[in-house]
């Protein structure tokens, strides 16, 4: 039945084959019910989701109600997922018109420099949040606020997006994302889904893995992948052994860099425990080499564990040193230091992920077909000198060729992405520790999977519903579009205790990682608060010239500067004409005075490379130089009214 339904709803994922175990078709004894459900679903268009739990079903609610009685008769408890698992073989990615998704997905955007927000399970793209990139849709990179954060840089490389935590689960306040290209960490506030701070990491190149504290809004830990001279000021150019890499703590509240710890080797992916005791980094270059051959020479590299209590105490005691011009205290955490532990892991390990119980960290071997399970309780003892670091590894099962990352369900199972084999390996942690064969299933994915994650997997509230495979190659899965192809994110239903491929979704290159978050955790604002600190610059500017922001319409002249304060209410700007002199420094301050949800305006000034949006009750400003003499129409780029095209005015340059 699964195939029939999928064929009806969308292009079938197809080509999926299970290496082990049973084929993924439905085992339901009452297959005819699906057909009835399908017919009813066809007839029902817009099912409003009012359940809170929501409707994960392809069936219309009438059909669900109809089958619910039968479910009860079959001894089921009548809850959504059990009923669905029993009657149709699993979850559906289908979200009917007018319905809402169950989860927010936060996707990194890779070298596009952005973060994307998807609805899951549908895979519908809800927003692209410009972070390190330029984006005329919102004016990011154009507005004075964004220019202050970006400092003239126009590109970035986002790999890992993680949300802020409280007590082991997401608190819905922030998302954090790295910039590998220019060593930055951005914070996105999740009331408005906009970047509000960007921290620059000193003495860092290849800022790759990041992870926030999971016990509270505390630190965000950032790993340097590339070793460089410290400081990188022309010294040690041809002496790679003198290079170093730093593990950095950024204060999640202030976004100030708190401290750094120098390591032996390098660092790749990052994780934190659930108690606030440890941050961790997989290290693949224990050789401290600079060529590929040098970097893969050793059979074992490391999981580096950072003892946060010791580090914080040492920093407080003034034991940090400053490097170069940076004021950030740096501790020496190289092999033998009390701040770190180096747990030997085969070979060039990549991902490190902590399971939802908080007890185990799983390192994926990359060049070893194994994952290493590290017992964090043993790490406590090892830091006290009672155990050797390697004794913390309690299992090392073989999972396939090229294991990269691991996600978790709520049943003690792990899902490891296997790059070379192009599979996801589902395995049981407990069985691995007991020395039994832990591999439960291998599912083909298409193709060359990189990251993997599961719904709520990075929290203690992992719910065992969905896994997403982020595949680096899509090959023949989508319409070809020239030599650069889309990537392929595949949604896998794990609710039944087995993996079943449910949905393919093409993505713009190239997302690296994603997290899937229950929608009730996120509390988006509907309009802006006019007193938001984001508008401080404009408020101060207005106060300086005796203007009430969002109320007064005024052109202020201050020498060669012209400051233009105006408001917008659909379909008019409060100012339809202003005059400046050629070469003037013009600042346009625009407030959207509409308070209606979803009624955005913006400001595009012809031939001046000025284009930004203002959502309801938002203020933004742009400063630019007036061009050569002439008339330049400015207009609202967001379709806001039947008379949207008339929402414009003239900038007269004389
Ligand atoms: Cu305002 Cu279009």
């Amino acid at each position: 039945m699964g195939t029939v339904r999928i064929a009806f709803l969308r292009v079938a994922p197809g080509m999926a084959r299970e290496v082990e175990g049973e084929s993924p078709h439905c085992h339901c004894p009452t297959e005819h019910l699906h057909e009835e459900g399908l017919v009813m679903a066809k007839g029902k268009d817009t099912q409003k989701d009012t359940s809170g739990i929501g409707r994960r079903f392809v069936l219309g609610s009438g059909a669900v109600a109809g089958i619910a009685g039968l479910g009860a008769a079959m001894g089921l408890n009548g809850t959504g997922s059990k009923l669905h698992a029993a009657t149709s073989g699993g979850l559906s990615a289908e979200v009917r018109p007018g319905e809402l998704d169950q989860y927010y997905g936060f996707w990194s955007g890779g070298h596009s420099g952005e973060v994307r927000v998807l609805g899951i399970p549908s895979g519908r793209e809800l927003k692209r949040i410009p972070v390190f990139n330029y984006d005329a849709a919102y004016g990011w990179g154009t507005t004075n606020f964004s220019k202050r954060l970006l400092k003239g840089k126009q590109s970035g490389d986002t790999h890992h997006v993680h949300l802020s935590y409280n007590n082991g689960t997401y608190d819905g306040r922030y998302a954090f994302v790295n910039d590998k290209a220019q060593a930055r960490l951005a914070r996105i506030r999740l009331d408005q889904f906009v970047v509000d701070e960007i921290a620059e990491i000193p003495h860092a190149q290849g800022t790759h893995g990041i992870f926030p504290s999971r016990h509270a809004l505390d630190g965000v830990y950032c790993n340097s992948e590339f070793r460089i001279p410290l400081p990188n000021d022309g010294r040690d150019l041809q002496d790679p052994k003198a290079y170093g890499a730093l593990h950095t703590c950024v204060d999640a509240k202030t976004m100030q860099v708190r401290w750094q710890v120098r390591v032996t080797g390098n660092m790749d992916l990052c994780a934190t425990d659930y108690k606030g005791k440890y941050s961790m980094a997989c290290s693949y270059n224990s050789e401290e080499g600079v060529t590929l051959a040098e970097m893969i020479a050793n059979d074992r590299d490391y999981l580096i564990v950072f003892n946060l209590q010791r580090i914080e105490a040492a920093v407080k005691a003034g034991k940090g040193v400053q490097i170069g011009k940076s004021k950030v205290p740096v501790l020496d955490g190289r092999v033998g230091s009390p701040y770190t532990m180096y747990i030997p892991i085969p070979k060039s390990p990549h991902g490190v992920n902590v399971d939802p119980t908080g007890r185990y960290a799983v390192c994926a071997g990359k060049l070893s077909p194994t994952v290493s399970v590290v017992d964090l309780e043993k790490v406590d003892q090892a830091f006290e000198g009672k155990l050797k670091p390697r004794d913390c590894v309690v299992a090392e099962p073989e999972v396939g060729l090229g294991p990269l990352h691991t996600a978790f369900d709520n049943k003690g199972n792990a899902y490891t992405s296997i790059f070379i084999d192009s599979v996801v390996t589902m395995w049981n942690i407990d069985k691995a520790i007991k020395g039994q064969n832990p591999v439960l299933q291998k599912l083909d994915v298409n193709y060359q999977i990189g990251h993997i994650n599961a719904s709520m997997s990075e929290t203690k509230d992992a719910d065992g519903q969905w896994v997403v495979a982020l595949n680096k190659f899509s090959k023949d899965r989508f319409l070809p579009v020239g030599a650069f192809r889309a990537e392929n994110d595949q949604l896998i239903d794990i609710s039944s205790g087995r993996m079943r491929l449910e949905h393919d979704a093409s993505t713009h290159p190239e997302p690296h990682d994603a997290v899937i978050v229950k929608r009730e955790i996120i509390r988006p604002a509907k309009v802006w608060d006019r007193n938001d600190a984001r508008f401080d610059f404009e408020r101060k500017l207005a106060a300086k010239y005796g203007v009430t922001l969002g109320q007064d319409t005024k052109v202020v002249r201050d020498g060669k500067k012209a400051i233009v304060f105006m408001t917008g209410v659909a379909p008019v700007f409060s100012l339809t004409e202003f005059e400046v002199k050629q070469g003037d420094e013009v600042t346009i301050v625009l407030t959207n005075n509409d308070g209606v949800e979803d009624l955005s305006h913006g400001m595009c000034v012809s031939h001046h490379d000025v284009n930004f949006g203002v959502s309801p009750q938002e203020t933004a400003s742009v400063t630019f130089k007036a061009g050569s003499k002439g008339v330049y129409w400015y207009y609202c780029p967001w379709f806001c009214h039947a008379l949207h095209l008339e929402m414009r005015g003239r900038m007269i340059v004389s």
Side-chain angles (χ1 to χ4, degrees):
M1 158 55 203
T3 14
V4 174
R5 173 167 53 82
I6 290 163
F8 162 63
L9 297 168
R10 72 185 74 78
V11 177
M15 299 182 66
R17 136 185 101 78
E18 296 196 345
V19 174
E20 284 184 10
E22 347 165 4
S23 60
H25 58 251
C26 174
H27 309 293
C28 174
T30 55
E31 191 145 316
H32 61 282
L33 285 174
H34 303 316
E35 302 300 335
E36 282 178 30
L38 185 64
V39 171
M40 293 175 82
K42 273 182 187 168
K44 287 216 166 205
D45 243 347
T46 49
Q47 300 287 334
K48 270 274 176 273
D49 172 22
T50 52
S51 65
I53 301 167
R55 197 177 77 80
R56 294 192 195 91
F57 317 105
V58 67
L59 305 174
S61 59
V64 172
I67 295 167
L70 191 125
M74 290 164 71
L76 302 169
N77 69 3
T79 62
S81 58
K82 282 202 175 177
L83 172 66
H84 193 249
T87 56
S88 74
L91 306 178
S92 170
E94 168 75 351
V95 178
R96 298 287 297 157
E99 290 194 339
L100 302 178
D101 280 287
Q102 293 299 313
Y103 298 88
Y104 285 93
F106 293 87
W107 256 241
S108 64
H111 36 257
S112 70
E114 64 194 14
V115 164
R116 298 174 198 147
V117 185
L118 311 187
I120 300 294
S122 73
R124 297 182 295 196
E125 186 176 279
L126 308 176
K127 190 173 192 179
R128 293 184 168 197
I129 304 173
V131 182
F132 302 110
N133 55 322
Y134 171 88
D135 186 339
Y138 305 108
W140 192 252
T142 296
T143 59
N144 289 325
F145 182 91
S146 58
K147 279 181 174 170
R148 272 200 305 283
L149 264 52
L150 294 173
K151 298 180 179 167
K153 292 174 179 168
Q154 296 189 16
S155 69
D157 185 11
T158 60
H159 281 226
H160 304 107
V161 54
H162 292 290
L163 270 56
S164 55
Y165 288 79
N166 188 36
N167 193 22
T169 197
Y170 298 131
D171 66 0
R173 291 178 68 185
Y174 297 111
F176 301 96
V177 69
N178 74 309
D179 171 20
K180 180 170 172 175
Q182 315 212 49
R184 292 175 289 179
L185 176 75
R187 186 176 72 183
I188 295 164
R189 48 186 277 192
L190 293 178
D191 59 341
Q192 295 285 2
F193 292 71
V194 292
V195 173
D196 77 338
E197 284 290 350
I198 293 178
E200 295 180 0
I201 319 275
H203 313 302
Q205 280 181 28
T207 295
H208 190 180
I210 65 151
F211 215 101
S213 307
R214 289 197 236 221
H215 64 294
L217 191 65
D218 185 355
V220 184
Y221 304 91
C222 308
N223 288 340
S224 289
E225 185 177 343
F226 305 153
R227 294 163 48 79
I228 53 169
L230 297 171
N232 194 16
D233 59 359
R235 73 187 69 189
D236 301 332
L237 297 175
Q238 291 298 348
D239 185 12
K241 289 289 166 198
Y243 298 178
L246 303 177
H247 183 66
T248 300
C249 174
V250 177
D251 189 302
K253 294 192 190 91
T254 64
M255 290 296 282
Q256 300 294 308
V257 179
R258 211 190 269 168
W259 48 254
Q260 299 184 292
V261 173
R262 182 173 183 170
V263 303
T264 299
N266 78 333
M267 288 166 291
D268 193 355
L269 270 295
C270 190
T272 57
D273 70 342
Y274 277 75
K275 295 176 178 169
K277 287 160 75 174
Y278 304 125
S279 57
M280 287 159 249
C282 268
S283 168
Y284 64 77
N285 186 14
S286 59
E287 304 86 348
E288 305 195 333
V290 291
T291 65
L292 174 76
E294 288 170 8
M295 286 190 262
I296 64 170
N298 290 347
D299 280 337
R300 278 180 179 169
D301 296 275
Y302 296 116
L303 174 71
I304 309 173
V305 185
F306 298 86
N307 189 317
L308 298 175
Q309 282 159 336
R310 290 184 187 174
I311 290 167
E312 294 280 356
V315 169
K316 208 170 173 185
K319 291 184 181 166
V321 297
Q322 292 177 2
I323 298 178
K325 290 173 189 154
S326 163
K327 298 268 181 277
V328 175
V330 180
L331 296 173
D332 190 341
R334 284 177 284 187
V335 170
S337 132
Y339 310 122
T340 50
M341 188 181 348
Y342 291 76
I343 301 176
I345 302 285
K347 170 184 183 173
S348 298
H350 185 58
V352 50
N353 299 90
V354 175
D355 85 314
T357 70
R359 174 143 184 197
Y360 301 111
V362 176
C363 305
K366 192 167 79 181
L367 299 186
S368 163
T370 54
V371 283
S372 304
V373 181
V374 174
D375 185 341
L376 294 175
E377 288 181 11
K378 296 203 176 208
V379 169
D380 291 349
Q381 298 169 49
F383 264 116
E384 290 161 18
K386 294 174 187 164
L387 288 174
K388 287 189 181 134
R390 179 64 194 173
D391 294 338
C392 301
V393 178
V394 293
E396 210 151 66
E398 285 200 16
V399 289
L401 290 181
L404 293 184
H405 302 278
T406 301
F408 304 96
D409 64 18
N410 52 355
K411 304 172 192 83
N413 300 319
Y415 302 78
T416 299
S417 59
I418 313 288
F419 179 82
I420 296 170
D421 285 344
S422 281
V423 301
V424 174
T425 298
M426 175 184 180
W427 55 280
N428 183 272
I429 298 172
D430 211 40
K431 282 189 172 176
I433 293 169
K434 287 178 179 153
Q436 301 163 357
N437 176 13
V439 175
L440 303 173
Q441 187 190 359
K442 291 187 179 183
L443 180 75
D444 275 7
V445 286
N446 316 85
Y447 304 89
Q448 263 64 48
I449 181 173
H451 270 275
I452 187 169
N453 227 323
S455 43
M456 298 296 288
S457 172
E458 301 282 8
T459 75
K460 66 177 186 186
D461 297 327
D463 66 1
Q465 298 291 295
W466 294 108
V467 156
V468 65
L470 291 97
N471 304 314
K472 301 325 246 174
F473 294 65
S474 68
K475 300 184 186 177
D476 52 0
R477 304 289 284 191
F478 307 112
L479 292 174
V481 287
F484 279 125
R485 303 277 174 92
E487 296 202 6
N488 185 15
D489 293 346
Q490 292 185 303
L491 197 64
I492 298 165
D493 171 14
I494 56 168
S495 65
S496 69
R498 294 190 61 77
M499 296 185 285
R500 186 185 59 81
L501 181 60
E502 165 65 8
H503 187 43
D504 278 14
S506 58
T507 51
H508 183 65
E510 90 153 337
H512 285 262
D513 197 3
V515 292
I516 301 172
V517 180
K518 280 185 180 161
R519 68 180 189 197
E520 39 298 356
I521 289 168
I522 309 296
R523 301 173 301 275
K526 293 179 173 173
V527 300
W528 278 91
D529 176 351
R530 295 184 85 115
N531 297 317
D532 198 283
R534 194 178 188 84
F535 319 136
D536 278 351
F537 170 79
E538 287 80 10
R539 238 186 322 269
K540 277 180 198 151
L541 194 66
K544 182 178 171 187
Y545 296 113
V547 167
T548 306
L549 194 69
Q551 230 174 74
D552 299 346
T553 298
K554 199 169 177 183
V555 181
V556 180
R557 292 221 58 102
D558 185 349
K560 286 283 282 174
K561 292 180 186 169
I563 304 98
V564 181
F565 295 93
M566 70 171 100
T567 60
V569 173
V572 287
F573 290 117
S574 63
L575 190 64
T576 55
E577 179 186 330
F578 65 88
E579 189 170 333
V580 294
K581 295 265 181 281
Q582 181 175 336
D584 274 355
E585 183 196 286
V586 182
T587 299
I588 295 180
V589 184
L590 175 63
T591 301
N592 180 343
N593 268 352
D594 275 305
V596 181
E597 274 180 53
D598 203 11
L599 212 180
S600 297
H601 300 297
M603 169 64 65
C604 179
V605 183
S606 300
H607 294 297
H608 281 77
D609 211 13
V610 166
N611 194 354
F612 65 98
V614 277
S615 52
Q617 301 290 302
E618 182 182 8
T619 294
S621 69
V622 162
T623 301
F624 61 99
K625 196 174 243 191
S628 52
K629 289 175 190 174
V631 170
Y632 300 93
W633 284 97
Y634 55 88
Y635 65 93
C636 170
W638 281 78
F639 207 111
C640 56
H641 193 276
L643 296 173
H644 156 72
L645 295 180
E646 289 84 349
M647 187 167 176
R648 55 190 166 110
R650 286 175 302 151
M651 177 173 79
I652 293 164
V653 181
S654 59

